[in-house]
Amino acid sequence: MMSEKDALLRLSALCAQGEHCQWEMTEKLRKWEIDDEAQARIMERLVKDRYVDDERFARAFVLDKIRYNKWGRRKVEQALYQKHIADDIRRRTLDDVSDEEYLKVLQPLLKQKRRSTKAASDYEMNQKLIRFALGRGFTFDIIRQCMDVEEEMEDWEEE
């Protein structure tokens, strides 16, 4: 069994390497079988010393998932929910991301997907692209904006 001091040191070191949320740290403590009172003291200390900050974590998490994993708002929101991030923090951090940020990620994804997808008609192709984007967690309004831009680009290239 790990001591309270050792658990605090290990979690502090972990938090110093990257952002983590309170739920992740509590899960680690639970797995290490640290008793509830010690867990509360450790978490209080981590939060007080700013090793753990759910809002800071959420901001970093949102940007990472959008830019590097190429996820849309719905998928990011679901992941934050699974990490037990409070509703107000989730909403605030997601609302801070502009539509342009999502469009910047989705447009190249759709372009690449269009090249690698076979379809009998434009309608079928669009349906496949929409399903793909929805699966990535993009909202329908963002997908629609991307599809409109792509169609305009194709019309322009044909002229």
Side-chain angles (χ1 to χ4, degrees), residues 10-159:
R10 280 183 70 179
L11 292 182
S12 299
L14 191 64
C15 290
Q17 293 171 357
E19 291 295 341
H20 294 280
C21 63
Q22 289 185 40
W23 179 77
E24 289 173 333
M25 298 297 98
T26 305
E27 282 299 291
K28 287 201 180 302
L29 291 169
R30 194 181 54 73
K31 284 179 186 156
W32 295 340
E33 297 176 357
I34 305 292
D35 72 80
D36 291 348
E37 290 161 12
Q39 279 185 33
R41 285 191 298 273
I42 290 169
M43 287 309 299
E44 187 180 323
R45 180 79 186 272
L46 289 173
V47 170
K48 184 174 82 61
D49 293 348
R50 307 230 341 115
Y51 280 103
V52 175
D53 180 335
D54 279 356
E55 184 144 359
R56 192 179 63 214
F57 166 81
R59 290 192 186 292
F61 185 85
V62 166
L63 291 177
D64 272 4
K65 295 303 176 193
I66 293 170
R67 291 182 182 155
Y68 302 111
N69 295 50
K70 310 217 180 297
W71 288 2
R73 180 184 173 113
R74 291 191 195 290
K75 194 165 183 173
V76 175
E77 192 169 17
Q78 186 63 35
L80 287 172
Y81 176 80
Q82 288 175 327
K83 295 209 176 269
H84 300 260
I85 301 299
D87 284 346
D88 61 320
I89 294 174
R90 266 198 330 258
R91 205 170 304 110
R92 216 174 20 252
T93 54
L94 286 165
D95 287 348
D96 285 348
V97 179
S98 69
D99 283 0
E100 285 73 40
E101 189 79 34
Y102 293 113
L103 290 168
K104 212 170 16 179
V105 169
L106 184 57
Q107 283 171 331
L109 269 180
L110 287 178
K111 196 173 229 168
Q112 185 180 1
K113 186 70 175 170
R114 185 181 289 276
R115 281 196 291 266
S116 67
T117 302
K118 294 185 182 0
S121 66
D122 284 347
Y123 177 79
E124 185 184 343
M125 175 63 79
N126 286 340
Q127 292 305 306
K128 287 182 176 186
L129 293 175
I130 288 169
R131 268 196 306 276
F132 167 76
L134 286 170
R136 285 256 160 158
F138 289 93
T139 56
F140 198 75
D141 60 315
I142 296 291
I143 297 168
R144 186 73 248 155
Q145 286 178 49
C146 271
M147 301 294 274
D148 290 345
V149 166
E150 271 199 21
E151 286 168 16
E152 286 172 20
M153 294 289 281
E154 283 173 11
D155 292 345
W156 189 68
E157 288 170 2
E158 288 171 7
E159 291 175 0

